């Protein structure tokens, strides 16, 4: 199966499984890649969530959109990623 690149903003596109995490920053989003690079795009997390919804991404918090395949461990309050980063899980997501 050929995986297409998905547009993330401007002229930038990424293959979904190359992304570890999206982090919201007002009207921008930071994109953390498996190779350690970080990109910043002028696209909201809400738009990115729509584009990546069919590619195993989950919104853990209003600020984070996580690649489920990159999750190393999770507990009630945080998700630990394979890149050693921890992100919050919102109260509403904990209850669901």
């Amino acid at each position: 199966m050929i995986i297409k690149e998905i547009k993330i903003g401007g002229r930038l596109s990424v293959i979904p499984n190359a992304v570890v995490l999206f982090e919201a920053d007002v009207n921008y989003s930071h994109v953390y890649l498996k190779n350690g690079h970080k990109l910043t795009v002028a696209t909201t997390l809400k738009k990115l969530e729509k584009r990546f919804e069919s590619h195993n991404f989950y919104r853990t918090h209003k600020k984070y959109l996580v690649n489920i395949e990159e999750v190393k461990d999770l507990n009630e309050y945080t998700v630990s990623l394979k890149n050693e980063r921890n992100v919050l899980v919102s109260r509403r997501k904990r209850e669901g």
Side-chain angles (χ1 to χ4, degrees):
M1 181 168 101
I2 297 173
I3 299 174
K4 290 176 45 177
E5 289 188 346
I6 298 176
K7 193 172 181 83
I8 58 172
R11 296 180 187 162
L12 295 175
S13 297
V14 293
I15 296 171
N17 63 6
V19 177
V20 174
L21 165 75
F22 292 102
E23 180 181 17
D25 187 6
V26 190
N27 288 327
Y28 293 88
S29 295
H30 302 293
V31 184
Y32 296 88
L33 304 174
K34 283 184 185 179
N35 64 10
H37 287 84
K38 174 184 164 187
L39 305 170
T40 301
V41 294
T43 306
T44 63
L45 200 56
K46 186 174 184 174
K47 288 180 183 176
L48 291 170
E49 183 179 14
K50 282 238 184 258
R51 294 177 192 172
F52 285 82
E53 67 187 349
S54 64
H55 295 281
N56 290 329
F57 280 79
Y58 184 72
R59 187 85 177 254
T60 63
H61 186 272
K62 68 180 180 178
K63 190 169 177 161
Y64 302 109
L65 180 63
V66 175
N67 182 344
I68 293 171
E69 295 172 9
E70 291 299 309
V71 173
K72 181 170 72 172
D73 190 30
L74 63 130
N75 65 42
E76 188 176 356
Y77 302 101
T78 60
V79 172
S80 297
L81 301 172
K82 291 177 185 175
N83 70 353
E84 304 303 322
R85 176 110 189 231
N86 293 321
V87 296
L88 295 173
V89 177
S90 70
R91 191 176 329 126
R92 286 190 178 121
K93 299 293 182 173
R94 276 183 244 150
E95 295 168 357

